[in-house]
Amino acid sequence: SEFTPSAVADLHYPRGAAVTSVEWSPHESSVFVASSSAGVVNLWDLSLEADPTEELELRDQLGTRGQDAIAPDDLPPQLLFVHQGQTDIKESKFHSQIPRMVLSTAADGFNAWMPSNTGEFV
């Protein structure tokens, strides 16, 4: 039988938005950052998969605070973080010595930022 490759993930940007930059993390081989002309920089981890059982267990542990523990169906499980607020983003890069730090350049300046929800591994 012939092998048919399949996509690892389906990563969407708003219609008409160009992807302006992609870079793999020097600290974690499954993580990359991608910027787009839609004014967003997304941090992705291709090693992640949705786990409905884990989401239900987390919701049960959190009680009423866990009402948002189940991810929306239209949110890819590989999406770690979304950085917004810049205009006409051209490039995004990981800092080579500071794990989790990303630098993004745009028409209105540059940002240096670290996602607050990704832990220490990125």
Side-chain angles (χ1 to χ4, degrees):
S1 81
E2 189 175 316
F3 174 73
T4 304
S6 62
V8 173
D10 191 4
L11 314 175
H12 292 282
Y13 280 91
R15 181 174 292 271
V19 174
T20 58
S21 176
V22 175
E23 183 181 69
W24 289 97
S25 170
H27 308 287
E28 180 63 37
S29 63
S30 63
V31 174
F32 71 94
V33 63
S35 56
S36 80
S37 61
V40 297
V41 180
N42 290 338
L43 196 59
W44 300 91
D45 185 348
L46 296 182
S47 70
L48 299 177
E49 295 181 13
D51 186 347
T53 304
E54 184 179 357
E55 290 175 359
L56 289 173
E57 288 174 2
L58 179 60
R59 188 183 65 188
D60 290 343
Q61 289 174 2
L62 295 173
T64 57
R65 295 179 301 138
Q67 61 191 8
D68 296 327
I70 296 178
D73 291 335
D74 62 342
L75 184 67
Q78 298 85 6
L79 181 60
L80 289 179
F81 191 82
V82 178
H83 176 72
Q84 297 177 312
Q86 291 182 279
T87 303
D88 196 20
I89 298 172
K90 293 299 182 195
E91 192 168 18
S92 53
K93 297 275 189 187
F94 283 98
H95 192 286
S96 62
Q97 296 177 338
I98 304 174
R100 300 188 310 130
M101 180 171 278
V102 176
L103 295 107
S104 50
T105 61
D108 56 349
F110 69 93
N111 287 178
W113 49 275
M114 294 175 67
S116 59
N117 66 335
T118 58
E120 293 298 321
F121 68 93
V122 176

